[in-house]
C-alpha cells in the first residue's frame, strides 16, 4: 500500500485528523533530549571512561566471565600476544583471520604466530586490487578459518559485551563464521552500561557516522531450544575469548 | 492508618458465596472483627457485588447489582469484605464499569477508597498483626500445621501479599508451611471451572499435589471461591486436609466461637 | 498461517492428554518463569524501568502515524527501502516479487513471527523458492511441518528423541541420543544454506524511528548470518514495533531479554541501519523493511485494546500463565499463544471465531504481573468477553449463547433484592435435597456437572448468614 495511505489509515485509527502537529516527546523517551544535550552527555561519558578506566575494566572482567567469555587479563600487548598464541595452539588452528582494529596492530600477531605454521590473514581490502575478487576470497577464508581475532569498538561492563561496528577493515563475518572468536579490549574502551553505548552511538548518528551495522556480542552463540538444554556454537562461535589489555 | 483509640466503625459486605454457602465464615469474620474492637453493621439488603455477570461479560446485568452496592454502602466509613475477588470487584472494577456514568462513578470512587479485604483491613486499617493478647482460655492450643494459598485477585489486583501471611504467622498455635507455587491460581476462575473443566481440573490437581507435599493439616485462603475449588477437590480425593478461611483460623484462636460438637 | 483458533477446546484437550507435552511444559515455571523473576530482582530499579518502557511504548503507539513517517524517512536516508503492507497478501507479494526479480533461489530466515502470520514460507515455495528456517527451534518445527509452540522457544514441546526421529526421517541422519549432537547436526545442515543463500529474511525486535535502525535480539547468530551473508536482506515486522530514539534501546533491550529468558543480555544484539556502507568490507547491498498492518489498525482504533500493541514479544506472559503451562502453544491455534495470543489472535483473525480464547482464562492476572511493559491483559480479556456477550462495539460478534444470557438475566433478577434472594434461595434449597447429602453435593446437575468430575460442591447452607446476623 502507498505509504501515505497506510499512515493516513493509522492516523484515522488513532482518531486524529491529518495535519496534526508532531507530538512533544515525553521525558520517558530519550528523544526528548536536544542534540546539544546528547553531545554534552557524550562528552561527559568520554571523560568518565578515562577517569574510571580501571574500575570499568575490573567490572568487565567479571561480567564477561559471567556471560560465558573465557577472559584473560594481560598487562601489555606482548602478554596478550602470547596468550593468543596459546589459544591458537590449544585450538590447533591452521587458519586465523584478524580484523583491522588498531588494537591488533600493537600485538604484532604475524610475529607472534610465526613459526606455528598458522595461515594468518588480515580481513582488510586492498584498495588497489579488484574489490569483488578480494571480497569473495575473504568470504571463503572466513568460511574455512578456525579463529577470528578482532579488537572492539567498545565494551560494556554491565553485560560483559564486546561491541563491534562493521567498518573499513572490520568485516561482519570475522567474528561470526569461525568457531572461535578472540576479542581484544584495551583499557579506556569499556563503558559502564548499555545506556552509555547508545548515547555515544546517538552522538555518532548526529555526526552522520552511525554506520550500517553494529553487533553486541556477549558470550558464545547459544540455544536452549531442545528441552531447555543449553548448547553452544549453533550457529556463531562456540568458544569466545576476551583478552583485556591494561 | 492505625486506629488507636475509639471504635472503628465498619460495614460488612459478606459476599453472596459466604452468605449462601459458607455462613460460618461470615460468623467467624464478625466475631474476629468484633474482638478486634470494630463496631460492625450489616446492611441487610445486600446480595451480590455482580462479579459473576461482570466476568462473563454481561455488564448490563452486573451494573444494577453494582448500583445497589454503591447505594447500600454509601454512608459506611469502611466496608470490609472477606473475599479478595469481591473486594477487587468493588474497589477496582466498579470505577471502570461506571466510567461513563458520572454520578455512579463518583459513588464508585468514593466506595473504592473505603473498601478493604479482611486481612488488609485488620493490618492496614486497624494496625493489628499480633493478636496473641486476645487469645482466651477456651481457644485452641494444639499446634497445627497449615499452608497458605494465595488468591489471585488479592495478590494481583489489590496488591495485598503480606497481610494475610503476617496474621497467620502471628498466631501462636499455627505453623505456616509454604507450599510450592503458592501464588499460582487454583483453577477456579468462576465459570472457567465449568466451561473448561479439564484445564481447571489440571490446575486444581497441581494445587492439591502441592498442598499434599507440605504435610499440612489445613490449607488457608482469603477467598471462599478458591476454598470451594480446593476444598471440593480435597474432599473428592478423600484427603483429610481441611480448607479454612483466614477468618475461621483466627476465630479459632481469638474468637469466642461456640465449641462445635461435630 | 491459517487460524485454528476455533478448535481451542479440542486442541487443548489433546494437549492435556499428551504426556510429552505435559512433561516439557513442566520446565517453564522453574526455567523461564523463575529466570525472569531472578533477572528482574537483580536489575536495579526494575519497576521504574518497566514504567518507563511502558511510557515509551504508550507514547509511540499514541503517535504511531508520526513515528512511521519518521521510520520511512530515516530508513530511506540510510539507503534502505520501506514497504508498508496493509495485509499479509500485500507483504507476501512484495517479498516474493523482489525475490523473483533478483533471481533468488534460496532464502535463509531468522525468527519472524510476522512471517508466520503471513504464511510467507508457503508463498515462497509456491514461487519455486526454498525458505530455510535457521533458528534451531524454527528449523525443527519447519522440518516437522508444525507451528510454533512458544514465542521464544518454538520447539520446546519436543523431546530429544522426537527431534532425533525427525532428523532421521527428514535428513537421513543416524539416531542421536545427545542434544549437543542434534544441535551440531543442525549447524552442519544449515552451514551451506548460510553460505549459499541469495536472500536473508529476519524479523525485527525494535525499529528505531530516529535513526532508521532495526534491532535484532538473538542467541544463536542466525540473525547475524541472515543479515550478513546474503546480498539482500529483508526485515519484516508489525508496524507497532517502533521506538522513538536509539537511546531508548538500553531500556527496551533490558526489559525484553530479561523477561524472555532471564539473561542479562542475549548473546547477540545486532543493529542494522540500511544496507552496507561503501567502506564496509561485506554485508547486503540491499536492505528492505516491511511493516505490516494485517489488522493491527483495528487494535489501534479501539482504545480499550490499543495497549495490546505495546507488546514486545518477550513471552513472559506465556511462562507465567497457569493455563498456557497446561495446554501449551498449539492449543491457541495461531501464531501467538498464551495470554497475549488470547487477545490478539481473535482480534486479528475473527473475534467470534476465537470466542474460547478470552474465556479460557481464570483471570488470575499472572500475565499482567509478568509483563515488562505492564499490559493489563485481564482487563482486555474482560472487555472481549463483554463484546462477545453484549456486543456494544462489535455487534457482529455478539455470539454468546442465549442460554448463558438468560442465566445471567435470571441470576440478576434473583439477586436484585434481598427478598428475591430469599425466595430463589428457598426454592433452590428445596431442589437441592435431591442431590445434597450431609451438606455436600457429589453430583451437580448439568450444565454444572463438569464440576463434579474432580470436586464436590457445598450445599446451600440451611440458614444463610443473613438469617444468622444479630444486629
Amino acid at each position: 500500500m502507498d505509504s501515505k495511505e497506510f499512515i493516513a489509515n493509522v492516523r484515522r485509527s488513532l482518531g486524529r485528523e491529518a495535519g496534526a502537529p508532531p507530538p512533544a516527546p515525553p521525558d520517558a523517551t530519550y528523544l526528548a533530549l536536544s542534540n546539544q544535550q546528547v553531545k554534552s552527555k557524550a562528552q561527559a561519558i568520554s571523560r568518565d571512561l578515562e577517569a574510571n578506566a580501571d574500575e570499568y575494566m575490573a567490572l568487565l572482567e567479571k561480567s564477561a566471565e559471567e556471560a560465558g567469555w573465557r577472559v584473560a587479563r594481560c598487562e601489555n600487548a606482548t602478554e596478550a600476544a602470547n596468550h593468543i598464541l596459546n589459544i591458537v595452539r590449544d585450538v590447533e588452528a591452521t587458519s586465523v583471520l584478524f580484523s583491522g582494529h588498531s588494537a591488533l596492530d600493537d600485538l604484532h600477531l604475524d610475529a607472534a604466530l610465526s613459526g606455528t605454521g598458522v595461515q594468518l590473514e588480515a580481513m582488510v581490502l586492498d584498495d588497489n586490487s579488484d574489490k569483488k575478487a578480494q571480497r569473495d576470497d575473504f568470504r571463503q577464508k572466513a568460511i574455512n578459518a578456525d579463529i577470528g581475532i578482532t579488537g572492539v569498538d567498545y565494551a560494556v561492563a554491565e553485560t560483559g559485551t564486546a561491541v563491534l561496528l562493521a567498518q573499513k577493515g572490520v568485516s561482519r563475518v570475522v567474528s561470526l563464521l569461525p568457531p572461535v572468536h578472540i576479542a581484544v579490549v584495551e583499557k579506556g574502551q569499556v563503558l559502564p552500561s548499555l545506556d552509555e553505548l547508545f548515547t555515544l552511538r546517538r552522538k555518532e548518528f548526529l555526526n552522520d557516522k552511525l554506520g550500517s551495522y553494529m553487533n553486541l556480542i556477549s558470550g558464545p552463540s547459544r540455544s536452549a531450544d531442545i528441552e531447555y538444554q543449553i548448547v553452544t556454537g549453533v550457529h556463531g562461535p562456540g568458544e569466545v575469548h576476551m583478552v583485556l589489555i591494561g | 492508618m492505625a486506629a488507636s483509640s475509639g471504635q472503628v466503625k465498619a460495614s460488612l459486605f459478606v459476599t453472596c458465596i459466604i452468605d449462601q454457602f459458607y455462613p460460618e465464615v461470615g460468623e467467624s469474620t464478625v466475631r474476629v472483627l468484633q474482638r478486634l474492637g470494630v463496631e460492625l453493621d450489616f446492611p441487610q439488603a445486600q446480595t451480590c457485588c455482580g462479579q459473576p455477570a461482570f466476568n462473563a461479560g454481561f455488564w448490563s446485568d452486573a451494573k444494577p447489582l453494582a448500583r445497589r452496592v454503591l447505594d447500600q454502602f454509601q454512608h459506611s466509613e469502611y466496608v470490609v469484605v472477606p473475599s479478595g475477588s469481591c473486594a477487587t470487584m468493588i474497589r477496582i472494577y466498579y470505577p471502570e464499569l461506571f466510567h461513563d456514568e458520572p454520578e455512579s462513578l463518583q459513588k464508585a470512587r468514593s466506595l473504592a477508597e473505603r473498601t478493604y479485604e479482611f486481612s488488609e483491613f485488620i493490618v492496614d486499617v486497624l494496625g493489628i498483626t499480633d493478636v496473641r493478647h486476645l487469645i482466651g482460655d477456651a481457644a485452641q492450643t494444639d499446634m497445627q500445621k497449615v499452608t497458605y494459598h494465595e488468591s489471585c485477585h488479592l495478590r494481583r489486583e489489590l496488591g495485598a501479599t503480606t497481610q494475610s501471611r503476617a496474621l497467620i504467622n502471628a498466631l501462636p498455635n499455627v505453623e505456616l508451611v509454604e507450599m510450592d507455587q503458592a501464588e499460582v491460581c487454583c483453577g477456579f476462575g468462576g465459570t472457567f471451572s465449568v466451561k473448561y473443566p479439564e484445564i481447571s481440573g489440571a490446575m486444581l490437581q497441581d494445587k492439591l499435589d502441592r498442598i499434599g507435599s507440605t504435610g499440612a493439616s489445613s490449607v488457608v485462603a482469603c477467598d471462599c471461591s478458591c476454598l470451594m475449588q480446593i476444598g471440593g477437590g480435597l474432599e473428592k480425593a478423600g484427603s483429610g486436609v481441611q480448607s479454612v478461611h483466614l477468618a475461621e483460623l483466627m476465630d479459632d484462636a481469638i474468637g469466642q466461637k461456640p465449641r462445635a460438637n461435630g | 498461517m491459517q487460524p485454528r483458533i476455533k478448535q481451542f477446546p479440542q486442541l487443548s484437550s489433546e494437549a492435556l492428554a499428551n504426556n510429552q507435552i505435559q512433561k516439557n511444559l513442566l520446565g517453564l515455571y522453574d526455567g523461564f518463569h523463575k529466570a525472569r523473576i531472578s533477572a528482574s530482582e537483580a536489575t536495579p530499579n526494575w519497576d521504574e524501568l518497566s514504567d518507563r518502557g511502558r511510557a515509551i511504548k504508550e507514547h509511540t503507539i499514541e503517535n504511531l502515524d508520526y513515528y512511521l513517517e519518521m521510520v520511512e524517512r530515516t530508513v530511506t536516508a540510510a539507503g534502505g527501502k520501506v514497504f508498508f503492507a496493509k495485509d499479509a497478501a500485500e507483504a507476501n507479494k512484495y517479498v516474493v516479487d523482489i525475490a523473483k526479480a533478483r533471481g533468488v533461489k534460496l532464502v535463509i530466515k531468522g525468527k519472524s513471527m510476522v512471517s508466520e502470520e503471513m504464511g510467507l514460507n508457503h508463498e515462497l515455495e509456491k514461487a519455486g523458492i526454498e525458505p530455510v528456517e535457521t533458528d534451531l527451534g524454527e528449523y525443527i518445527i519447519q522440518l516437522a511441518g508444525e507451528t510454533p509452540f512458544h514465542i521464544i522457544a518454538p520447539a520446546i514441546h519436543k523431546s530429544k528423541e522426537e527431534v532425533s526421529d525427525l532428523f532421521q526421517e527428514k535428513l537421513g541422519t543416524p539416531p542421536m541420543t545427545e542434544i549437543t549432537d542434534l544441535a551440531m547436526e543442525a549447524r552442519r545442515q544449515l552451514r551451506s544454506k548460510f553460505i549459499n543463500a541469495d536472500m536473508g529474511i529476519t524479523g525485527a525486535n525494535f525499529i528505531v524511528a530516529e535513526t532508521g535502525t532495526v534491532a535484532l535480539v538473538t542467541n544463536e547468530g542466525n540473525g547475524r548470518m541472515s543479515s550478513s551473508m546474503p546480498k539482500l536482506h529483508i526485515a519484516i515486522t508489525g508496524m507497532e514495533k517502533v521506538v522513538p530514539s536509539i537511546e531508548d534501546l538500553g531500556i527496551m533491550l533490558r526489559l525484553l531479554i530479561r523477561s524472555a529468558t532471564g539473561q542479562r543480555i542475549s548473546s547477540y544484539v545486532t543493529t542494522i541501519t540500511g544496507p552496507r556502507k561503501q567502506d564496509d568490507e561485506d554485508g547486503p547491498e540491499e536492505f528492505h523493511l516491511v511493516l505490516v498492518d494485517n489488522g493491527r489498525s483495528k487494535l489501534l482504533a479501539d482504545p480499550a485494546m490499543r495497549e495490546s500493541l505495546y507488546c514486545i514479544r518477550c513471552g513472559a506472559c506465556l511462562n507465567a500463565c497457569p493455563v498456557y503451562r497446561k495446554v501449551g502453544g498449539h492449543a491457541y491455534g495461531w501464531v501467538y499463544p498464551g495470554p497475549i495470543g488470547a487477545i490478539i489472535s481473535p482480534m486479528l483473525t475473527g473475534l467470534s471465531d476465537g470466542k474460547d480464547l478470552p474465556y479460557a482464562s481464570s483471570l488470575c492476572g499472572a500475565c499482567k504481573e509478568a509483563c515488562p511493559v505492564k499490559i493489563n491483559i485481564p482487563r482486555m480479556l474482560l472487555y472481549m468477553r463483554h463484546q462477545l456477550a453484549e456486543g456494544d462495539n462489535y455487534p457482529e460478534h455478539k455470539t454468546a449463547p442465549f442460554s448463558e444470557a438468560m442465566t445471567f438475566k435470571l441470576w440478576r433478577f434473583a439477586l436484585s433484592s434481598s427478598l428475591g434472594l430469599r425466595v430463589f434461595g428457598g426454592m433452590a434449597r428445596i431442589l437441592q435435597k435431591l442431590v445434597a447429602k450431609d451438606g455436600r453435593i457429589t453430583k451437580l446437575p448439568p450444565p454444572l456437572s463438569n464440576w463434579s468430575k474432580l470436586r464436590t460442591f457445598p450445599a446451600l447452607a440451611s440458614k444463610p448468614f443473613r438469617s444468622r446476623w444479630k444486629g
Side-chain angles (χ1 to χ4, degrees), chain C residues 36-37 67 149-151 176 190 235 267 271 279 295-296 345 402 416 424 432 437:
Chain C
R36 172 188 62 82
I37 293 172
Y67 285 108
F149 191 80
H150 187 283
I151 289 178
M176 286 178 254
L190 289 168
S267 296
T271 67
D279 277 349
R296 286 157 174 75
S345 298
F402 181 74
S416 291
F424 282 91
Q432 80 173 2
K437 193 176 164 218

Side-chain angles (χ1 to χ4, degrees), chain C residues 34-35 44 58 73 82 93 103 108 116 147 191 196 226 258 293 298 338 342 354 358 430 458 467:
Chain C
K34 274 191 162 161
E58 186 178 334
R73 263 198 325 273
V82 182
K93 181 172 190 313
I108 46 174
E116 308 257 4
T147 55
R191 211 74 186 159
N196 297 311
S226 305
R258 293 171 199 192
D293 180 340
K298 274 194 277 184
I430 293 170
S467 307

Side-chain angles (χ1 to χ4, degrees), chain B residues 19-20 27 44 46-47 55-57 60-61 96 155-156 183 196 198 200 206 229 232 235-236, chain C residues 13 29 326 356 359 362 364 369 379 385-386 390 412 415 429 440 452 455-456 461 465-466 468:
Chain B
D19 180 34
Q20 296 294 317
E27 291 178 305
Q44 275 279 0
Q46 65 183 269
T47 55
N55 282 356
S60 60
D61 294 315
E96 304 226 356
R155 174 188 171 96
R156 300 189 186 94
E183 84 290 356
Y196 301 96
E198 277 186 299
S200 169
D206 281 355
Q229 164 93 335
E235 190 174 59
K236 181 93 178 192
Chain C
S13 222
Y29 185 92
K326 284 272 152 251
D356 281 298
Y359 284 102
S362 62
C364 77
E369 194 177 35
R379 189 77 90 257
R385 292 180 182 194
H386 176 51
E390 299 185 336
R412 158 192 160 182
L415 293 170
R429 280 171 176 79
R440 307 297 297 176
S452 302
R455 300 155 279 213
T456 62
F465 176 84
R466 63 187 60 241
R468 302 183 190 202

